[in-house]
């Protein structure tokens, strides 16, 4: 084999690119499908209760995800036409998880971050975290931190976020007993990626890049919300 030729061919191989865009409300089952896939893997492979069942109920879980779609907080990551990941970005922290003093510091809050298992192990999750941090920071001045609340009993996930540069903040509970009470944060890295970015934002329309601040849009009566799914987020 001509190893020099092989090296040149590899150097010319197309760099993998993934497009990301705002998810539409009618794509709720796509988002929930990615969560369901992760839940199935967690049940089979890991010692955690994360997403073992919809929390606090299937309808409540679906309503919460649907509201995030309506509020233009949820993004879908694609490889070609295949949805392979999702993340939701908020600019306001949960008032029972993050103290008033903590919330005085401008931060980006990430939720429901999932990469399909077919794409695990290649650093794509870390890149999605960094992309989401920069995207959220572009919507508000003086952002200092990226924050995330993690399933309290998922020790391996805690370790993963520590490897990504996050530091432990606290483990807290809420009045509705959220199972996701382990809090982590890290300084925002606002610099451009050192290597060519694999994640590229695409826009479906004039409103597609705008992250709505904390205005809450309620999904309406249960009958107006698409049919409930069966896993947890």
């Amino acid at each position: 084999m001509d190893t020099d030729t092989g090296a040149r061919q590899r150097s010319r191989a197309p760099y993998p690119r993934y497009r990301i865009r705002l998810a539409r409300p009618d794509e709720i089952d796509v988002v929930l499908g990615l969560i369901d896939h992760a839940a199935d893997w967690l049940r089979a492979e890991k010692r955690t209760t994360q997403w073992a069942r919809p929390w606090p109920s299937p309808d409540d879980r679906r309503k919460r995800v649907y509201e995030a779609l309506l509020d233009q907080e949820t993004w879908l990551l694609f490889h070609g036409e295949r949805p392979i990941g999702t993340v939701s970005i908020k600019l306001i922290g949960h008032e029972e998880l993050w103290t008033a003093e903590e919330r005085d510091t401008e931060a980006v809050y990430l939720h429901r971050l999932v990469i399909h298992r077919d794409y695990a192990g290649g650093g794509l999750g870390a890149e999605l975290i960094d992309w989401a941090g920069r995207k959220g920071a572009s919507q508000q001045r003086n952002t200092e931190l990226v924050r995330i609340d993690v399933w309290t009993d998922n020790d391996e996930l805690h370790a993963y976020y520590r490897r990504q540069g996050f530091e432990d903040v606290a483990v807290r509970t809420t009045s509705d007993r959220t199972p996701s009470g382990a809090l982590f944060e890290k300084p925002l890295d606002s610099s451009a990626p050192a290597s060519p970015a694999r994640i590229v934002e695409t826009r479906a329309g004039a409103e597609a890049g705008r992250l709505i601040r904390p205005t809450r849009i309620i999904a309406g009566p249960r009958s107006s919300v698409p049919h409930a799914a069966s896993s947890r987020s």
Side-chain angles (χ1 to χ4, degrees):
M1 177 180 176
D2 184 342
T3 56
D4 290 338
T5 300
R8 287 195 299 271
Q9 289 175 340
R10 286 192 297 274
S11 69
R12 292 196 296 267
Y15 194 75
R17 300 292 288 275
Y18 306 94
R19 63 186 179 91
I20 193 166
R21 63 164 173 80
L22 277 169
R24 303 186 308 265
D26 65 354
E27 292 176 309
I28 184 170
D29 287 315
V30 177
V31 174
L32 291 176
L34 287 164
I35 296 171
D36 288 350
H37 171 77
D40 290 343
W41 179 79
L42 286 167
R43 279 194 295 269
E45 302 292 337
K46 302 297 178 181
R47 298 180 63 181
T48 174
T49 62
Q50 181 164 352
W51 296 343
R53 61 182 178 83
W55 181 85
S57 71
D59 282 348
D60 288 331
R61 189 279 296 264
R62 191 174 183 88
K63 182 175 182 289
R64 184 169 63 252
V65 173
Y66 189 61
E67 287 176 348
L69 290 164
L70 289 175
D71 284 353
Q72 296 187 349
E73 295 170 345
T74 299
W75 296 78
L76 277 172
L77 183 67
F78 293 84
H79 184 201
E81 297 303 311
R82 180 187 182 186
I84 63 166
T86 185
V87 63
S88 292
I89 305 171
K90 291 180 178 286
L91 303 179
I92 300 295
H94 191 298
E95 64 182 12
E96 292 188 62
L97 287 176
W98 302 94
T99 67
E101 182 179 2
E102 289 164 346
R103 286 182 281 114
D104 280 343
T105 300
E106 289 199 348
V108 174
Y109 297 83
L110 306 185
H111 301 274
R112 292 185 292 275
L113 191 149
V114 176
I115 294 290
H116 194 282
R117 292 303 305 169
D118 288 352
Y119 294 81
L124 193 55
E127 198 166 328
L128 182 57
I129 291 169
D130 289 341
W131 178 89
R134 291 192 298 271
K135 182 63 183 178
S138 73
Q139 308 299 325
Q140 64 180 1
R141 295 181 179 180
N142 305 318
T143 301
E144 298 182 26
L145 298 167
V146 179
R147 288 172 167 163
I148 192 163
D149 57 85
V150 181
W151 212 263
T152 305
D153 75 355
N154 193 338
D155 293 335
E156 289 190 43
L157 191 56
H158 301 178
Y160 170 81
Y161 282 113
R162 293 182 189 115
R163 291 195 298 273
Q164 305 312 314
F166 286 83
E167 296 183 352
D168 298 63
V169 175
V171 176
R172 294 177 179 146
T173 58
T174 61
S175 58
D176 62 1
R177 298 182 181 179
T178 178
S180 187
L183 308 183
F184 294 84
E185 67 182 18
K186 73 172 182 175
L188 172 73
D189 181 3
S190 59
S191 61
S195 57
R198 289 188 291 174
I199 297 176
V200 179
E201 181 183 343
T202 60
R203 296 171 183 253
E207 295 295 305
R210 182 167 65 88
L211 183 65
I212 293 180
R213 288 206 53 122
T215 303
R216 169 57 61 195
I217 303 174
I218 301 302
R222 181 178 301 176
S223 60
S224 70
V225 180
H227 180 66
S230 61
S231 96
R232 186 169 195 166
S233 65

